[in-house]
Amino acid sequence: MENLKGVPVVISAFGGVGKGAIINELVKDEEYVFSISATSRKMRKEDIEGKTYFFKTREEFENMIRRNELLEWVEFCGNYYGTPKGYIEQQMNDNKNVLLDIEEVGAIKIKETYKDVALIYVMPPSLEELIFRLKKRGETEKYINTRIAKAKQQVGLVDYYDYIIINDKLNVAIQEIKNIVKTSKQKVVKNKELIGRIKEELENVKTII
Ligand code: 5GP
């Protein structure tokens, strides 16, 4: 059977848009797995070692960079974040679509290695709605202002992404992402082997008419 390889799928968003909920929902489907990043940031109460991140000291992280173990890495808000290489490759060979929750600079770098990556940016229905959701979540005004200031920087890189999803209704957003992934599997870059085989067969075929 052709086309057995899964697709790498990057999901990025401004803070508070609901990226986490989308990823949690997608991994309930056995065709999807989450790429666990390495980071040098401190653990938060919701973190679980080896589930949310692989937590490293700065020195350990720098050793990973030196040993070329990361597909991409960035220094973000004073901490290192990076995507370990091996897991993604192994999962895609196993026909799993690999979800990467990474920031914009790293996301764009991924495309240098994986031409077939689907870079998805999740947007709120409106800025007003985003602020409303953050307030409803009980976030302080100071925090909301920081998120907005950050979004102003982030939005400049959205042009490099491939797809926009609006997170208005979660189930609709999930279905739209699944449709994108399905279509990504049919891209020409994803089917080089099949195309090569057909070309070879065409070269060798004896004309029958
Ligand atoms: P947090 O510290 O809140 O978990 O994550 C901060 C930011 O780092 C988020 O935007 C997240 O998407 C991003 N991030 C997490 N892992 C990686 C990674 O492996 N590479 C890159 N480039 N960004 C990451």
Side-chain angles (χ1 to χ4, degrees):
M1 207 167 112
E2 301 290 344
N3 212 349
L4 268 177
K5 272 191 113 186
V7 178
V9 186
V10 169
I11 312 257
S12 307
F14 308 146
V17 171
K19 181 178 61 172
I22 289 179
I23 292 174
N24 286 341
E25 201 55 38
L26 282 169
V27 294
K28 287 183 187 163
D29 181 333
E30 60 175 24
E31 289 182 19
Y32 289 81
V33 291
F34 179 63
S35 159
I36 304 159
S37 294
T39 185
S40 67
R41 86 147 158 74
K42 295 242 164 353
M43 278 181 93
R44 297 180 192 137
K45 61 176 186 317
E46 68 274 18
D47 280 316
I48 302 169
E49 162 64 24
K51 191 153 188 263
T52 49
Y53 286 104
F54 295 111
F55 290 90
K56 306 282 172 193
T57 61
R58 286 185 71 83
E59 197 190 347
E60 284 168 342
F61 197 101
E62 283 161 7
N63 284 334
M64 290 180 83
I65 299 172
R66 264 193 294 278
R67 290 195 298 261
N68 197 23
E69 288 172 11
L70 300 169
L71 183 59
E72 60 76 41
W73 62 272
V74 290
E75 202 164 358
F76 179 87
C77 298
N79 298 306
Y80 288 125
Y81 293 87
T83 308
K85 273 182 190 171
Y87 182 75
I88 297 193
E89 201 56 41
Q90 179 199 327
Q91 293 295 321
M92 289 197 312
N93 281 332
D94 211 14
N95 196 22
K96 304 281 187 200
N97 305 308
V98 183
L99 297 165
L100 297 110
D101 171 357
I102 64 179
E103 56 67 62
E104 295 78 7
V105 176
I108 294 161
K109 276 193 216 160
I110 297 264
K111 210 162 205 173
E112 290 166 18
T113 312
Y114 293 118
K115 303 282 180 235
D116 57 335
V117 65
L119 295 183
I120 302 178
Y121 215 90
V122 183
M123 289 283 192
S126 66
L127 192 58
E128 200 188 348
E129 172 66 21
L130 175 61
I131 295 170
F132 173 76
R133 285 183 195 173
L134 287 167
K135 280 185 182 158
K136 210 170 97 184
R137 220 165 73 175
E139 303 293 359
T140 63
E141 211 158 276
K142 186 169 169 243
Y143 177 89
I144 296 174
N145 286 338
T146 316
R147 287 300 193 179
I148 300 295
K150 182 88 186 88
K152 282 187 187 177
Q153 296 169 358
Q154 290 174 283
V155 80
L157 292 173
V158 175
D159 285 339
Y160 294 94
Y161 280 66
D162 302 309
Y163 304 97
I164 295 292
I165 291 288
I166 298 186
N167 190 17
D168 192 4
K169 294 204 163 51
L170 183 63
N171 60 337
V172 175
I174 297 294
Q175 198 47 56
E176 286 175 349
I177 293 174
K178 288 188 175 177
N179 291 345
I180 290 171
V181 173
K182 215 169 150 198
T183 312
S184 296
K185 287 196 174 189
Q186 286 160 322
K187 279 189 162 178
V188 167
V189 289
K190 194 79 190 153
N191 288 280
K192 289 289 181 198
E193 256 178 61
L194 176 139
I195 299 166
R197 184 169 54 72
I198 299 282
K199 275 185 184 160
E200 209 176 297
E201 284 176 13
L202 281 169
E203 274 163 25
N204 298 327
V205 74
K206 292 195 179 56
T207 331
I208 34 181
I209 46 166

